[in-house]
Amino acid sequence: MNARAEILDRIRSALRDAPAVPEVPRDYRRSAEHGQEELIELLTDRLLDYKANVFVEDAAAVPQRLAALLEGTVRYAVPHGLDQALFAAADVHDGGPARRVTDAPGHRLGVGELDAVDAVVTGSAVAVAETGTIILDAGPDQGRRVISLVPDRHICLVRAGDITAILPEALRRLDGTRPQTWISGPSATSDIELERVEGVHGPRTLDVVIVRE
Amino acid sequence: MRIALFATCIVDAMYPGTARATVAILERLGHEVIFPSGQACCGQMHVNSGYFKEALPVVANHVKAFEAEEYDVAVAPSGSCVASVKHQHPMVARRCGDSGLEARAAGVGDKTYELSQLLVDVLGVTDAAAQLGSYFPHRITYHPSCHGMRLLRLGDRQLDLLRSVAGIELAELPEAEQCCGFGGTFSMKNADVSSAMLEDKTANICGTGASLCTGGDASCLMHIGGGLSRQGSGVTTMHFAEILASTLEHPAAVTGDVRLTTGRTAR
Amino acid sequence: MSGTFLGMPSLPVFGIGNLHEHEPFPKAARRELGNTQLRANLGHATRTIRDKRLAVVSELPDWEELRDAGRAIKESVMARLPELLEQFEANFTARGGTIHWARDAGEANAIVADLIREQGADEVVKVKSMATQEIGLNEYLEEQGIAAFETDLAELIVQLDHDKPSHILVPAIHKNRSQVRDIFLREMEGVDPELTNEPARLAAAARAHLRRKFLSAKVAVSGANFALADSGTLAVVESEGNGRMCLTLPETLITVMGVEKLLPAWEDLEVFMQLLPRSSTGERMNPYTSLWTGVTPDDGPQNVHLVLLDNGRSAALADEMGRSALHCIRCSACMNVCPVYERTGGHAYGSTYPGPIGAILSPLLTGITAEENNSLPYASSLCGACYDACPVKINIPDILVHLRGEDVDSKRGKKKLPSQMDLGMKAASWALSSGKHLGLVEKALPLGRLAAGPDKKITKLPGIAAGWTQSRDIPAPPAQSFRQWWDKEHQAPAAPADATGPEAPGAGAPGTIETSNGSTGPKENP
């Protein structure tokens, strides 16, 4: 018998008492009532707790905010689907669009190139206020998983309308088969005497720009 | 109310004062106490050590002894023995294939209460000083035993009763919810770990400055008291029933005849 | 549907690998207890995580409802396991992944090594994984000439020190910062000789050390926290980003996962991703979670494998009382609240799985009747703290007791002298199975009193009871048991005075108590 058949056979044999399949009680919260301002405030609080930097901006002010955040960077990466107009102010300020490298189908950035940039700017799919979690699902404005991983600084845009209160609400907005990265603050470790250190292998700085629409 | 006392084997043989205090409290409240004479032990030691076969006659005896009497409720001054009667007895019967005994054991278990449960939930005692005349002018601390806390969910019942005793001074025990390390035969099979747990418990007790540690389980108190005695701490242990039974006219003494610590130095 | 099993019931096939005690728990525990540095580190660490966990758990109004849902989901997974495995396999394969089935540790190791060799690689980067520790993958790969680099900081510390993990969440919990610095200075190539013992500096050294490895690795090996049957999706939960590096950068990804890790559907993840981080690190959410479904063209590894591991899980599943141990999501909450683990640390348990869950899971996977791992179920005072902390409500104390019963029963048929414990339990069974018997035994109480001597305490007992008296006295027994007092009171010709009412506290005979356990008469004041 091959391993597959044998393991399945063993498991069926182990279950010969035919244990009942219980009804799953889903009495936990599956949605929560929160106004948008409340959600912004809660998400901000949680992200600050994780030592992320948080900026709440009206949509019109986002280019200025990005320009400020990108000031001094020699090069930064963006996914091809992110609205290039967001960088209008950054382009005017500091050396023009040449600083920007775009990861696009047919023009993929290698890990060496990504390792050499100072920052990456991406969008996000959805956020969870209660846990301070931002979820990326590799949509065109977020790009491949690697681009938000290798650069040492991640500047992440979160649309206010994409903020949910609790995790079950967020998961209902997602397709589980897309590659996902859930981010709750910068990379961290508590492995040495349980003292939390932010920044190990992932981006050591996480800047979150919450965009009011 | 007619109340059947389950003394538990350790109280019956080693700490009769605890059972007598239980009788005294219930009779003071105007209830009739009976002692089913066939009773012996809940069998917890056997079950927890894996000796189910040997536990079966012990369980069967308990069920038979308490079925032989007419009463409204049964009570035991022990969280772990009550937990055993309620949770382990039907399980032992089931495991040994005796479904008749399983059902009867569940019936006895349903009528069995731990002392603070009975006092608070059934008999409505909220103020020991007013309702029982309890008086105990000592600085004490309290250890909540694991099975009362986690299997019976006694919460603060014992502590609240103690708080309402006249003259008492209750010192909070740090890390109170940590096990004292008794665990029945665990204290022998894993004597080193058990001793390490006990050391931390007795250090916390001594740190409170209390002259006595109370609780709801004679076995844990014997364990803690045994450690305090060996360390020559001068601190003793006493079941909370004895504190509730203590009155102005007949106060319980902190050190008595065979209290472990008698002022002698430890060896 | 899985259908009813109609074949010949097969005998349980137990697991092999790093699942065994190397010596009986009491002996190992005694040695570990002597390590004061370890005890101080562990005490600090477990207390810190305990407090953090309590704080974040108390924030959620629906924690108990989440636990109930978690338990029911896992129960349902176990009941439907064959069907869900087949469903998962179909979905994972349809999305470009390849599934391998491994009956035991040896088979899993060989599969992984072959896959690595197929890629022409002689080194791999690894994400912290319990399953690969269980099967001893690193050791096996080393024998095969393949270097496996652990990338989690704590795993890196342990690996560089040629040590073993002592905790499933923080494997280097037994080392303090200075010990870590010394290990790095000794073992890490090209490390700054001025390295201090600040955790931030140490973490930066690990980052620099592993960065080039990550960017050049061709093959990564991981475990998985969850696998969703309805989509074929795998999930890894982590903190440092080393997981993302391994799961995203190399061309080939090999995941090793126990068959019990399945969840039926996407919506079940909302339960477990609330339960796991809060129970394990005491955080609202862990910094990073990665989810992948087979191969995504142009994004991440293009050569994706999953090794589904039995290694004793089907044997554990066959134990109706014990099978819920397979619900474990490896959060480590049980060990952080366990008073035994807190004092002995993880090494005393021998197996990859320490603490309360290890004390049941290891013997369930290896079998207890082989007299392997048969001291582990006794490594607990049955205080129940683990059950309260478990996010999926595994009744660990009940399973410990069940396994003790299995151990005792397994020895009954064997031709050897009964142990002292056996004899004692037999005698006690006689004494405690009748009021008359106990009454007879109690007649001997004065003898014990005599033995106690003028100190009124017993300080040394022989045989198995010697463990008790190594740190505890036993009080001298009373001259009279409660039963004897009761009989005297109630069989006296004149019945005792009626119970006094509540309005007369303390008055009359029944209200009079004797607080000592001594020989004084029933009506004598203390």
Side-chain angles (χ1 to χ4, degrees):
Chain A
M1 216 186 307
N2 68 28
R4 179 186 187 276
E6 188 170 335
I7 292 169
L8 287 171
D9 189 57
R10 287 178 189 174
I11 293 172
R12 290 200 178 96
S13 176
L15 293 171
R16 60 180 173 272
D17 60 310
V21 179
E23 190 73 24
V24 174
R26 294 191 193 267
D27 303 326
Y28 55 85
R29 295 169 302 156
R30 306 189 80 185
S31 59
E33 287 296 314
H34 281 289
Q36 191 170 87
E37 282 310 304
E38 219 180 329
L39 291 174
I40 292 173
E41 201 177 307
L42 187 59
L43 178 62
T44 303
D45 174 78
R46 299 312 198 220
L47 286 166
L48 290 175
D49 192 43
Y50 294 139
K51 304 282 190 332
N53 306 310
V54 186
F55 310 89
V56 183
E57 305 289 355
D58 290 327
V62 173
Q64 282 302 331
R65 172 54 64 192
L66 286 176
L69 289 171
L70 290 167
E71 198 180 325
T73 56
V74 178
R75 280 160 77 82
Y76 64 90
V78 297
H80 73 281
L82 198 61
D83 183 1
Q84 306 285 306
L86 289 167
F87 302 100
D91 288 349
V92 171
H93 272 262
D94 215 349
R99 292 191 298 148
R100 190 161 67 245
V101 291
T102 304
D103 185 70
H107 181 78
R108 291 307 186 194
L109 300 174
V111 283
E113 285 170 280
L114 286 167
D115 197 30
V117 302
D118 301 303
V120 59
V121 184
T122 75
S124 58
V126 61
V128 185
E130 185 177 76
T131 61
T133 304
I134 299 165
I135 300 180
L136 275 58
D137 70 355
D141 63 337
Q142 301 149 51
R144 299 181 298 147
R145 283 173 284 169
V146 66
I147 72 163
S148 59
L149 171 63
V150 176
D152 202 14
R153 182 171 171 204
H154 182 190
I155 300 168
C156 189
L157 303 169
V158 176
R159 285 178 298 267
D162 289 338
I163 307 174
T164 63
I166 58 176
L167 188 66
E169 294 173 313
L171 295 200
R172 278 203 291 280
R173 297 193 191 183
L174 290 163
D175 171 359
T177 62
R178 296 184 64 86
Q180 288 181 17
T181 305
W182 301 14
I183 297 171
S184 306
S187 143
T189 185
S190 302
D191 278 348
I192 300 169
E193 295 183 19
L194 293 177
E195 189 169 298
R196 187 173 165 106
V197 175
E198 277 79 23
V200 196
H201 304 295
R204 287 185 281 194
T205 306
L206 176 65
D207 297 314
V208 179
V209 182
I210 299 174
V211 184
R212 279 201 189 98
E213 289 148 313
Chain B
M1 202 177 262
R2 189 170 159 89
I3 301 171
L5 173 67
F6 172 34
T8 76
C9 64
I10 182 171
V11 164
D12 180 11
M14 295 296 285
Y15 296 93
T18 299
R20 290 167 60 182
T22 305
V23 176
I25 295 164
L26 297 173
E27 290 186 349
R28 248 183 250 168
L29 289 168
H31 300 286
E32 181 193 0
V33 179
I34 61 162
F35 180 75
S37 62
Q39 68 175 280
C41 169
C42 65
Q44 188 182 182
M45 176 182 73
H46 287 100
V47 176
N48 286 349
S49 306
Y51 288 80
F52 292 95
K53 202 179 125 197
E54 288 78 1
L56 186 65
V58 183
V59 169
N61 175 70
H62 182 86
V63 172
K64 195 174 119 198
F66 280 81
E67 279 181 344
E69 306 278 349
E70 293 287 325
Y71 58 88
D72 299 304
V73 291
V75 67
S78 160
S80 74
C81 302
V82 171
S84 170
V85 167
K86 282 178 171 304
H87 303 299
Q88 291 188 331
H89 284 194
M91 183 272 285
V92 168
R94 185 164 61 248
R95 202 178 163 117
C96 295
D98 190 339
S99 57
L101 181 63
E102 183 184 347
R104 291 165 52 212
V108 171
D110 284 347
K111 284 170 77 177
T112 306
Y113 290 80
E114 182 277 335
L115 179 59
S116 70
Q117 255 178 344
L118 180 72
L119 290 173
V120 174
D121 299 356
V122 182
L123 304 182
V125 178
T126 51
D127 187 335
Q131 292 167 277
L132 295 168
S134 309
Y135 171 76
F136 195 72
H138 300 280
R139 180 177 172 83
I140 69 156
T141 192
Y142 165 77
H143 165 70
S145 285
C146 300
H147 292 177
M149 181 168 54
R150 302 203 179 90
L151 289 173
L152 296 181
R153 303 282 170 200
L154 293 181
D156 284 339
R157 287 178 180 80
Q158 294 175 353
L159 197 55
D160 288 344
L161 286 169
L162 286 164
R163 281 197 188 106
S164 69
V165 170
I168 207 164
E169 190 189 343
L170 259 168
E172 194 185 329
L173 179 63
E175 305 197 309
E177 298 194 350
Q178 284 262 317
C179 175
C180 73
F182 173 55
T185 49
F186 171 77
S187 59
M188 291 182 241
K189 283 202 168 208
N190 278 285
D192 294 299
V193 187
S194 167
S195 297
M197 290 160 70
L198 177 61
E199 252 169 52
D200 293 342
K201 180 58 72 180
T202 53
N204 278 326
I205 290 170
C206 293
T208 65
S211 57
L212 178 149
C213 175
T214 190
D217 269 275
S219 49
C220 307
L221 293 174
M222 179 169 85
H223 184 242
I224 294 169
L228 290 166
S229 164
R230 179 61 60 87
Q231 295 157 17
S233 66
V235 182
T236 184
T237 56
M238 183 187 283
H239 194 282
F240 82 92
E242 298 179 53
I243 292 176
L244 295 186
S246 172
T247 61
L248 189 59
E249 292 79 13
H250 302 292
V254 169
T255 54
D257 183 15
V258 294
R259 283 288 154 214
L260 289 167
T261 314
T262 55
R264 285 167 182 276
T265 51
R267 323 182 171 195
Chain C
M1 290 304 290
S2 60
T4 314
F5 176 77
L6 296 169
M8 285 287 288
S10 45
L11 284 173
V13 183
F14 294 113
I16 53 173
N18 298 326
L19 289 170
H20 297 81
E21 323 168 274
H22 308 292
E23 55 192 331
F25 183 83
K27 199 172 159 212
R30 187 188 188 100
R31 187 185 53 248
E32 301 294 321
L33 282 166
N35 183 343
T36 48
Q37 175 76 57
L38 173 80
R39 265 178 86 177
N41 291 1
L42 276 170
H44 166 69
T46 51
R47 247 190 297 271
T48 306
I49 310 183
R50 257 200 320 261
D51 292 347
K52 280 179 70 183
R53 188 189 78 89
L54 276 179
V56 295
V57 160
S58 64
E59 279 181 8
L60 290 192
D62 53 351
W63 183 249
E64 289 308 316
E65 287 79 6
L66 285 165
R67 289 177 79 208
D68 287 335
R71 172 162 70 176
I73 291 167
K74 279 293 186 181
E75 253 174 43
S76 135
V77 168
M78 297 309 144
R80 299 169 54 204
L81 196 52
E83 163 204 349
L84 292 175
L85 281 167
E86 285 173 344
Q87 188 190 4
F88 175 85
E89 180 187 40
N91 285 320
F92 189 78
T93 309
R95 300 286 303 235
T98 309
I99 300 250
H100 311 262
W101 299 73
R103 280 168 275 227
D104 62 19
E107 197 166 21
N109 285 333
I111 293 168
V112 175
D114 283 347
L115 288 170
I116 296 167
R117 274 190 291 256
E118 269 172 33
Q119 299 306 311
D122 60 3
E123 61 177 49
V124 295
V125 285
K126 278 193 68 204
V127 198
K128 180 169 140 19
S129 136
M130 303 302 299
T132 60
Q133 267 168 38
E134 172 190 326
I135 62 176
L137 180 65
N138 290 6
E139 297 81 354
Y140 178 80
L141 292 180
E142 198 181 326
E143 284 167 24
Q144 301 288 309
I146 298 167
F149 295 95
E150 291 291 353
T151 62
D152 169 78
L153 178 55
E155 293 282 357
L156 174 70
I157 293 165
V158 168
Q159 188 180 41
L160 287 174
D161 197 34
H162 314 286
D163 193 6
K164 281 174 53 179
S166 62
H167 188 285
I168 66 177
L169 172 70
V170 268
I173 201 168
H174 56 297
K175 306 233 183 276
N176 65 23
R177 59 185 73 193
S178 297
Q179 291 170 311
V180 174
R181 181 199 51 199
D182 294 346
I183 295 165
F184 280 12
L185 288 175
R186 197 179 66 231
E187 303 282 344
M188 203 180 254
E189 243 172 76
V191 71
D192 174 8
E194 304 293 305
L195 186 65
T196 68
N197 66 2
E198 282 166 75
R201 294 283 306 276
L202 295 166
R207 176 186 172 97
H209 172 72
L210 286 171
R211 192 103 184 142
R212 202 167 319 128
K213 283 262 171 288
F214 282 135
L215 301 186
S216 63
K218 288 162 76 174
V219 181
V221 174
S222 83
N225 293 90
F226 305 106
L228 305 175
D230 72 339
S231 58
T233 302
L234 292 171
V236 161
V237 171
E238 52 130 358
S239 296
E240 295 171 9
N242 63 307
R244 292 178 67 191
M245 290 279 177
C246 293
L247 302 170
T248 314
L249 297 181
E251 194 59 15
T252 298
L253 172 60
I254 305 165
T255 302
V256 182
M257 183 186 86
V259 289
E260 82 284 15
K261 291 271 178 164
L262 287 182
L263 297 179
W266 173 247
E267 65 172 348
D268 298 320
L269 203 59
E270 72 195 23
V271 175
F272 287 89
M273 283 308 295
Q274 294 191 70
L275 289 172
L276 178 57
R278 287 181 204 255
S279 298
S280 91
T281 50
E283 292 170 302
R284 296 185 181 109
M285 190 63 87
N286 50 291
Y288 297 132
T289 298
S290 296
L291 293 140
W292 71 100
T293 309
V295 173
T296 305
D298 213 19
D299 187 345
Q302 297 298 297
N303 184 21
V304 173
H305 297 267
L306 175 68
V307 181
L308 279 171
L309 180 70
D310 181 349
N311 204 38
R313 284 158 179 78
S314 56
L317 192 67
D319 185 323
E320 289 176 38
M321 272 292 293
R323 66 167 59 124
S324 61
L326 294 174
H327 298 183
C328 174
I329 56 171
R330 313 282 188 262
C331 72
S332 76
C334 63
M335 43 204 87
N336 296 328
V337 299
C338 177
V340 176
Y341 176 88
E342 181 182 332
R343 286 166 182 85
T344 66
H347 291 163
Y349 296 78
S351 162
T352 296
Y353 304 105
I357 187 66
I360 59 172
L361 190 57
S362 306
L364 280 164
L365 293 173
T366 61
I368 197 164
T369 53
E371 292 193 25
E372 287 165 329
N373 285 342
N374 65 2
S375 77
L376 287 180
Y378 299 94
S380 165
S381 66
L382 303 178
C383 79
C386 49
Y387 183 25
D388 274 8
C390 179
V392 289
K393 290 192 170 178
I394 301 171
N395 192 335
I396 297 176
D398 270 9
I399 300 177
L400 286 166
V401 169
H402 159 71
L403 291 173
R404 291 175 187 187
E406 296 285 295
D407 175 49
V408 169
D409 286 345
S410 76
K411 289 172 182 148
R412 285 187 199 277
K414 295 186 182 157
K415 274 190 199 150
K416 62 175 189 184
L417 287 175
S419 68
Q420 266 190 53
M421 186 67 85
D422 295 338
L423 294 173
M425 287 293 166
K426 239 191 180 94
S429 176
W430 177 84
L432 298 174
S433 59
S434 134
K436 277 209 185 77
H437 294 177
L438 183 56
L440 279 173
V441 173
E442 284 168 355
K443 287 214 160 64
L445 288 176
L447 279 178
R449 211 169 157 75
L450 200 64
D455 272 9
K456 306 272 171 56
K457 57 191 181 192
I458 297 167
T459 56
K460 202 164 164 53
L461 286 172
I464 46 171
W468 173 282
T469 48
Q470 79 181 34
S471 63
R472 293 150 281 229
D473 294 338
I474 290 181
Q480 187 187 40
S481 72
F482 174 76
R483 186 185 305 268
Q484 289 160 353
W485 172 83
W486 179 275
D487 288 347
K488 250 185 233 165
E489 280 291 292
H490 293 82
Q491 285 163 13
D498 283 346
T500 45
E503 70 285 351
T512 306
I513 61 140
E514 172 210 349
T515 57
S516 72
N517 301 300
S519 58
T520 45
K523 305 250 170 92
E524 185 183 319
N525 288 340

